[in-house]
Amino acid sequence: MSVKNGHGGKVQALAAERGVDPAQVLDFSASINPLGPPEGLAEALKQGLESWIRHYPPAGAEYFQEDLANKLGVDPYNVMIGNGSTELIHLLPRLKPRGRALIVEPAFSEYRAGLAACGWWADDHICGEDSLFVPDESDREALLGKLKKGYDLVYLGRPGNPGGAATPLEMVQELARAQGKHGFLVLDQAFIDFCPQESLLKFIPEHPALIILGSLTKYYAMPGLRLGFLAASSDPVGRLGRFQPPWSVNIMAQEAGRFCLEHDRLHAQRTAELIAREREVLSRELSRLGLTVFPSRANYLLVRLGPDQPRAEELAGALAQDLILIRDCANYRGLGERYFRVSVRMPGENERLLAALKKQLGEPRPN
């Protein structure tokens, strides 16, 4: 199995190659909540399955759309539900035939893939290590200068993927105002539930050029069901809705989403405590192995290998022999062959990763 580039989460492929049960694979390449879904979700889906599969689901996920809008504090007509946020990413270029876009990199590869499929031209603005791979004051003049060229869509992850840092609020607002003269600023908040205080949903009425993407499958640990959303002013939501086929989101995903919203409070508290604690421990121990670890607000850490250490592709291949997956980040623009990303998992799982890394990289440095 190739663990290079592409997306993370290749558990089934590695298990098939090694002839093992997928449960034996430890996946640090996909950034999913290690606590799993809210308690009781699996049982609730089992109980409803026989009835649900006999009928069509709501064509536009209307009931879940209303529940989610209430949760987000926006009107239902400002929300569009998708078969994962990736479906909505691929719908966005339908706003205009053959437009121009700017991607703030490094970033999720599906932005560029969706644009290319619709014949769009895509430029980039690459942020470096000094700004933790997201725009800061040092990028301001150059980035605002690029926006004057007149892009129809500008993509920005917050928190950034794969770095995990959050672009300062003031800069996002300035970008939204500048981009509003030409098109839309697409703010991808797929991991915002791991730092909910950073959410900018409340600014949608103030910035009609703002389109916010969100995901429920990462935070609620159900990526196999595919459930995401787009929040914006009614204009882009209505325009994009014309291109989305009916019944795009299956009934299991819709009902799972409604359950998660209803049982969120305890899950959110436990998640926040776990991620904050384990992210700090994992970051510290990775640093002791001679690795450069970048600060993150999300449930993952971007890591750079030193010049005397193996390339990320080689390390990922070696760890796969131990049934451990990490995310080689060589295909992210602005990174390279020495960067990889790991998710934050349960304490025992993190210890297993660290032990495997120690075997490949040598003894940790003393404190």
Side-chain angles (χ1 to χ4, degrees), residues 44-64:
L45 294 181
K46 289 178 184 177
Q47 291 181 4
L49 178 61
E50 185 174 354
S51 171
W52 293 332
I53 64 175
R54 294 175 180 268
H55 306 283
Y56 280 97
E62 292 86 359
Y63 300 121
F64 173 64

Side-chain angles (χ1 to χ4, degrees), residues 238-362:
R239 288 163 61 188
L240 288 171
R242 296 196 297 268
F243 298 105
Q244 185 182 42
W247 311 297
S248 173
V249 182
N250 72 76
I251 188 63
M252 296 290 283
Q254 293 184 38
E255 292 297 333
R258 300 184 75 188
F259 182 96
C260 289
L261 295 181
E262 185 178 348
H263 298 81
D264 177 64
R265 182 170 298 179
L266 179 59
H267 190 70
Q269 180 181 344
R270 293 177 61 209
T271 297
E273 293 171 354
L274 173 71
I275 296 300
R277 182 179 67 248
E278 290 303 312
R279 183 175 56 208
E280 181 179 356
V281 172
L282 188 57
S283 177
R284 181 182 67 241
E285 295 305 313
L286 288 170
S287 297
R288 291 186 63 212
L289 293 172
L291 300 163
T292 299
V293 185
F294 298 95
S296 172
R297 304 296 304 276
N299 62 325
Y300 49 83
L301 293 167
L302 180 64
V303 182
R304 175 166 51 78
L305 289 147
D308 58 342
Q309 294 173 326
R311 295 179 295 115
E313 179 185 6
E314 297 168 339
L315 180 62
L319 293 176
Q321 298 302 308
D322 290 332
L323 301 181
I324 296 175
L325 290 171
I326 62 172
R327 177 64 160 89
D328 173 10
C329 292
N331 71 320
Y332 281 92
R333 293 189 177 215
L335 299 184
E337 62 182 13
R338 298 204 167 274
Y339 292 85
F340 68 93
R341 188 192 68 199
V342 291
S343 61
V344 178
R345 297 187 60 92
M346 300 299 285
E349 296 170 327
N350 294 334
E351 290 171 5
R352 181 177 157 190
L353 170 67
L354 291 167
L357 286 171
K358 177 180 175 182
K359 184 171 69 173
Q360 299 296 326
L361 303 177

